[in-house]
Amino acid sequence: MINPLLRRQRFGLALLLTLVLPLLAQANEPLPSWNDGPAKKSIIEFVQAVTDQSSKDFVKPADRIAVFDNDGTLWSEQPAYFELLFAFDEVKRTAAQHPEWKTTQPFKAVLENDHKALAASGMEGLLKIVGATHSGMTTEAFDDYAKTWFSQARHPKTGKPYTEMIFQPMLEMLDYLRSQNFKTYIVSGGDTGFMRAFAEKVYGIPPEQVIGTTFVTSYQFKDGKASIVRTPKVAHNDDGPGKPVSIDAVIGRRPILAFGNSDGDLQMLQWTAAGPGKRLMGLVHHTDAKREWAYDRQSNIGRLDKALDEANSRGWTVVDMASEWRRIYPFDPPATEQVQ
């Protein structure tokens, strides 16, 4: 006959295990902020296939290269690209040094918050703003300006620092890949120096693995000090076809995994898909107007049109944000139930 005290102890242990084991399993589960949908399934199955030495799809660690766009893929990009908002703030911060801006477009529009005039200046106007705020200084000075802005600026919708407007599911994907000996890179149309100011702290991606648009720089030795100076001339536009070009030049290996969110990422996905063996090409589809934003084919920011058609026709992974992500941002409360 079992001692009643022992029986109660066994019952208590069984109850504890019933409660704790599912939580432990969830903690060890890859991609906990992803619902059990097709995107999560394709990612995990891909990683398992290329890391299993007994699999015909096994890829040695040196070739496990994963590339990610930044704007709209790793963090939000609405109501405007965050780097552009930084440039606008820099115009206002340095306006006293440029009195001519008070009467010169597009700077006048920025100083007066004239959105209509700013829109009328078009891409040419935006490039003038970016050129003026991203050059004429050392790389160290630009890094300081960017880091200062990130420490002070707040997103107009959420009131959060821009470095908190990152996607929790993608952070988990980066961590999951690195735990399986993948090397993760950012390949973005954003300025390399701007992204390097936060990428390692926020994403765990070091400066040497951040690839973006670059300005022509020059070496300067002045007053006994050596520095690199940024000029207004663009050296490489890392968007569209510029992405596979820079991947080939900087990494020197074709990725086996690539993720983007817009037509500007299409060539990077095509380049990744063109290699031999098993590969994963993915798109983050912004479909969640309640928790983030919903936009694709008609958007002026992060337009997803041709890339979406090609992804659907070729069977690439398309992440429906509304249905496949339990939470969007790290500051969102952890979801205990799947979002429908």
Side-chain angles (χ1 to χ4, degrees), residues 37-233:
K40 179 177 180 178
K41 183 174 183 289
S42 68
I43 293 167
I44 293 177
E45 287 182 350
F46 170 79
V47 172
Q48 289 176 341
V50 299
T51 57
D52 182 355
Q53 293 192 30
S54 64
S55 169
K56 63 180 179 59
D57 298 313
F58 176 74
V59 176
K60 63 180 186 285
D63 289 327
R64 294 177 198 168
I65 304 297
V67 294
F68 293 83
D69 169 59
N70 183 51
D71 295 312
T73 302
L74 296 180
W75 70 2
S76 290
E77 58 184 356
Q78 299 283 356
Y81 297 119
F82 297 170
E83 186 173 350
L84 192 56
L85 299 178
F86 160 75
F88 293 162
D89 284 348
E90 284 295 282
V91 168
K92 296 173 182 178
R93 183 184 69 82
T94 60
Q97 304 168 29
H98 302 275
E100 72 279 7
W101 285 356
K102 292 182 179 180
T103 57
T104 305
Q105 295 291 13
F107 305 99
K108 181 175 183 290
V110 174
L111 295 174
E112 297 177 354
N113 293 314
D114 187 341
H115 301 294
K116 184 177 180 180
L118 186 61
S121 70
M123 183 57 67
E124 182 180 353
L126 295 180
L127 290 176
K128 286 182 180 179
I129 293 169
V130 172
T133 57
H134 285 52
S135 65
M137 67 202 77
T138 66
T139 53
E140 291 93 342
F142 182 76
D143 182 69
D144 286 341
Y145 294 143
K147 287 179 177 176
T148 298
W149 183 79
F150 279 120
S151 71
Q152 299 172 352
R154 296 295 182 267
H155 190 273
K157 179 181 177 180
T158 66
K160 298 290 186 179
Y162 287 94
T163 48
E164 292 184 21
M165 297 294 293
I166 53 180
F167 299 141
Q168 177 64 27
M170 297 307 287
L171 291 179
E172 294 169 1
M173 185 175 177
L174 290 172
D175 288 341
Y176 176 48
L177 291 173
R178 289 192 288 258
S179 74
Q180 301 301 311
N181 294 315
F182 277 77
K183 198 170 185 179
T184 54
Y185 289 81
I186 291 177
V187 182
S188 172
D191 175 78
T192 301
F194 181 75
M195 294 185 292
R196 284 177 174 173
F198 68 91
E200 186 163 30
K201 180 179 180 180
V202 173
Y203 300 137
I205 297 179
E208 65 272 18
Q209 290 166 221
V210 175
I211 302 170
T213 294
T214 54
F215 287 82
V216 173
T217 56
S218 62
Y219 173 76
Q220 176 179 279
F221 190 81
K222 187 177 181 180
D223 299 328
K225 184 178 179 181
S227 58
I228 304 296
V229 177
R230 297 165 60 98
T231 76
K233 184 178 180 181

